[in-house]
Amino acid sequence: MKIFGLIGYPLGHSFSSDLFTKKWATENISGCRYELMPLQEITLLHQLIRSKPELVGFNVTIPYKIKIIPFLSALSEEAKVAGAVNTVQVIRKGAQIYLTGHNTDVAGIQITLSNLGKKPNGALIFGTGGAAAATSFVLNNMRIPFRLVSRTSGTNRMIYNEINPETIRQHHLLINCTPVGTSGFSFQPLPLPYDAIGSDHILFDLVYNPAVTSFLKEGLSRGATCVNGYQMLIAQAEETWRIWMKKQ
């Protein structure tokens, strides 16, 4: 039995187990199991891997997409540039265990934005974690100018109280890379001047559960194009499976 899984904390919102289980059933792939593996501290990673000798790959979600990097043996080029990891290969050679980190969020975000069919004049990325790092990588490749927005000040980022209606009007692509709105999480809505959103705007929420978050509801009520993270989830899962199988 080959075990695959997901680490993060908490994991109650995740669709990944159902997604991979359905894929294996549809493609008549046997001998695989996908487990949710809640990890309260990233320092417990190696202990977890040693406890599961059949584990050959796992996904990474909040809050470990950046924190996991020091625990890995190697990184793919996308993961190096993005500075975040959401997919790991587990390679065992005798008693040695090698962990290679990849970023398939990049592929998922790229496909989702490309399918929108129009290039926005600029973007605001809400959040500064691993998902925001992957999104920044994609927008740089697509040559879409963007600003990062966070609740705390830092280099090359805005804070929410600096955003006014004109800021929103100057950036037609608004991307939520935070867990705000995710089922099972308790966060206040993003503090934005939503009345500045219009029909020219695109709201992309990387959250996929629920399908319509409070962020997307604000956009829909004002005629904006709104996309959740489900298409991204499907695309990155396909890329993840390709990576895992390439090494089997």
Side-chain angles (χ1 to χ4, degrees):
M1 176 68 68
K2 294 176 182 176
I3 296 177
F4 303 89
L6 173 69
I7 68 163
Y9 195 83
L11 297 177
H13 65 284
S14 176
F15 286 179
S16 295
S17 181
D18 287 345
L19 183 66
F20 279 100
T21 300
K22 288 176 182 176
K23 176 181 177 61
W24 296 330
T26 300
E27 299 182 14
N28 294 316
I29 297 171
S30 60
C32 296
R33 184 170 75 244
Y34 195 99
E35 298 181 358
L36 298 183
M37 302 179 291
L39 202 64
Q40 289 188 310
E41 298 289 342
I42 192 62
T43 53
L44 300 173
L45 177 66
H46 288 160
Q47 178 182 327
L48 172 70
I49 293 170
R50 286 193 297 270
S51 73
K52 295 181 179 292
E54 295 173 316
L55 182 66
V56 296
F58 59 91
N59 294 121
V60 184
T61 190
I62 293 169
Y64 300 134
K65 290 185 178 184
I66 294 175
K67 292 178 181 178
I68 195 173
I69 290 176
F71 296 86
L72 303 178
S73 310
L75 295 175
S76 70
E77 286 305 312
E78 288 85 358
K80 285 179 185 176
V81 177
V85 165
N86 78 312
T87 298
V88 175
Q89 294 167 286
V90 181
I91 301 170
R92 302 175 192 268
K93 295 182 179 179
Q96 298 297 313
I97 299 174
Y98 300 91
L99 305 177
T100 302
H102 300 263
N103 195 311
T104 63
D105 282 343
V106 167
I109 295 165
Q110 176 84 48
I111 289 170
T112 302
L113 292 180
S114 297
N115 286 344
L116 293 173
K118 53 184 177 181
K119 184 176 180 179
N121 63 339
L124 295 176
I125 299 175
F126 306 114
T128 53
T135 302
S136 299
F137 177 82
V138 172
L139 293 185
N140 274 323
N141 283 349
M142 297 179 74
R143 298 184 179 180
I144 297 173
F146 64 89
R147 299 288 303 275
L148 291 168
V149 184
S150 176
R151 296 185 186 274
T152 57
S153 59
T155 305
N156 297 323
R157 70 175 70 163
M158 303 175 68
I159 56 176
Y160 285 97
N161 63 13
E162 294 176 325
I163 298 177
N164 56 41
E166 187 59 27
T167 310
I168 297 294
R169 285 191 283 267
Q170 290 175 353
H171 299 83
H172 286 171
L173 176 59
L174 309 178
I175 307 177
N176 178 33
C177 294
T178 77
V180 170
T182 304
S183 178
F185 285 74
S186 178
F187 292 103
Q188 291 296 316
L190 297 178
L192 301 172
Y194 290 104
D195 284 340
I197 293 172
S199 58
D200 289 337
H201 281 88
I202 300 167
L203 275 64
F204 176 23
D205 198 331
L206 273 62
V207 173
Y208 56 82
N209 181 17
V212 181
T213 61
S214 57
F215 177 68
L216 294 185
K217 286 178 182 176
E218 296 285 0
L220 289 169
S221 69
R222 294 167 173 84
T225 299
C226 293
V227 181
N228 67 21
Y230 190 72
Q231 183 181 8
M232 171 189 164
L233 174 70
I234 298 297
Q236 65 92 356
E238 289 296 329
E239 179 66 10
T240 292
W241 184 243
R242 185 190 67 78
I243 290 169
W244 283 340
M245 288 298 95
K246 186 169 64 174
K247 295 296 182 181
Q248 299 304 310

